[in-house]
Amino acid sequence: MCFKMSARRFVCLDFETNGFPPKTEGEDWPLPFHSYPIQLSVDVVEDGAVAHHWDTLICGATQLCTWVQRNVPLTLPETSREGIPLGDAVLCLDLLLKDGDTIVIHNADFDINMVLRRSMAMLQFNNNPHVQNACGRIIRAPRFCTMKSAYARSVFGKWPTLRELCDHFEVQLTNAHDARGDSKALADCVVEAMRRGVMLNIEAFIHERSEARAQRDSVSACRARTPRASSPPISGGL
């Protein structure tokens, strides 16, 4: 069966972080704050082919939560010794993006809003316009969340894990919780989804975003036209 690949590039990325606050007493807390990024990996899908473009460790974490210590194949000394500052990672990611790219992430809300946007705010990068502008371009870029997509909800009836998504698309996930393995598996899922003509139907994706934007604009316009409740006018002059 022949299928036509989209000319659009899909930039598949994955962050690993220092983890969440522990639920069990006595376990290590992630510091300097939770969900701080310690690794980033980027694979790009173009013309039906997957190419690994870049990965890096990110320094700045001062403690990994216990779960990360047990499950992520990274150590704090490694990230401190081999990692680059978060601001540099943001600048490099921004340079990788081209006009028309779509960022694909499994749980985009978490990676973009919690890991990236919140970490930038906590480290006060608003004082560095160059890095702040690069971060803004990344945040504003078109993006697609494989976990919360309509297709995933229809197939799984829930938000699937990356492993469940890989099983569905018959993609091998190796080195789970290593950003390099996760971004590669995500990119392979994108290729298979396009081959099957599901999930990443770009025309539908663009239409869905346009419809959502139009609906928000319509609601805003409606609210602007609706007079607010107010007290009865006071008669007479002052």
Side-chain angles (χ1 to χ4, degrees), residues 212-229:
R213 188 178 297 109
Q215 186 175 10
R216 288 195 301 269
D217 291 345
S218 175
V219 170
S220 297
C222 220
R223 286 175 177 168
R225 290 193 301 266
T226 303
R228 295 183 179 179

Side-chain angles (χ1 to χ4, degrees), residues 8-233:
R8 180 181 294 255
R9 290 200 328 163
F10 296 96
V11 179
C12 304
L13 62 88
D14 183 74
F15 282 103
E16 294 299 330
T17 76
N18 64 346
F20 295 109
K23 296 181 179 179
T24 304
E25 187 176 352
E27 292 192 343
D28 290 339
W29 277 75
L31 299 172
F33 48 84
H34 72 83
S35 304
Y36 178 84
I38 59 174
Q39 186 187 27
L40 169 62
S41 180
V42 182
D43 284 81
V44 174
V45 176
E46 188 171 18
D47 296 326
V50 176
H52 181 68
H53 272 228
W54 179 60
D55 66 82
T56 185
L57 299 183
I58 300 172
C59 62
T62 54
Q63 185 162 278
L64 309 180
C65 79
T66 302
W67 187 94
V68 170
Q69 294 174 35
R70 293 171 179 169
N71 293 278
V72 176
L74 293 173
T75 65
L76 198 60
E78 280 181 293
T79 62
S80 299
R81 182 178 64 251
E82 303 173 21
I84 64 175
L86 177 59
D88 291 351
V90 168
L91 291 172
C92 290
L93 178 57
D94 178 50
L95 288 174
L96 283 175
L97 295 176
K98 299 179 180 179
D99 289 342
D101 283 351
T102 295
I103 296 176
V104 180
I105 311 176
H106 195 72
N107 197 355
D109 284 345
F110 176 73
D111 278 25
I112 294 295
N113 293 323
M114 176 64 76
V115 177
L116 182 57
R117 190 200 297 262
R118 174 177 173 270
S119 295
M120 292 287 288
M122 294 285 284
L123 296 178
Q124 298 183 339
F125 272 104
N126 55 313
N127 295 327
N128 187 328
H130 189 41
V131 176
Q132 188 68 20
N133 290 338
C135 183
R137 285 189 292 270
I138 296 168
I139 290 171
R140 292 190 300 271
R143 64 178 182 259
F144 185 89
C145 178
T146 53
M147 187 181 81
K148 296 182 180 180
S149 66
Y151 178 77
R153 289 196 301 271
S154 68
V155 170
F156 298 96
K158 63 169 189 171
W159 293 344
T161 64
L162 180 58
R163 184 168 295 281
E164 289 171 332
L165 191 75
C166 289
D167 289 344
H168 173 73
F169 284 117
E170 300 177 300
V171 163
Q172 187 173 10
L173 173 58
T174 56
N175 300 322
H177 307 305
D178 181 324
R180 294 168 297 183
D182 290 351
S183 67
K184 172 61 165 62
L186 182 62
D188 288 340
C189 286
V190 167
V191 171
E192 180 60 18
M194 295 176 69
R195 189 190 72 81
R196 298 183 189 183
V198 298
M199 189 169 71
L200 274 157
N201 181 302
I202 292 305
E203 288 73 25
F205 171 54
I206 293 174
H207 175 73
E208 183 179 23
R209 287 175 64 88
S210 299
E211 287 292 308
R213 188 178 297 109
Q215 186 175 10
R216 288 195 301 269
D217 291 345
S218 175
V219 170
S220 297
C222 220
R223 286 175 177 168
R225 290 193 301 266
T226 303
R228 295 183 179 179
S230 59
S231 301

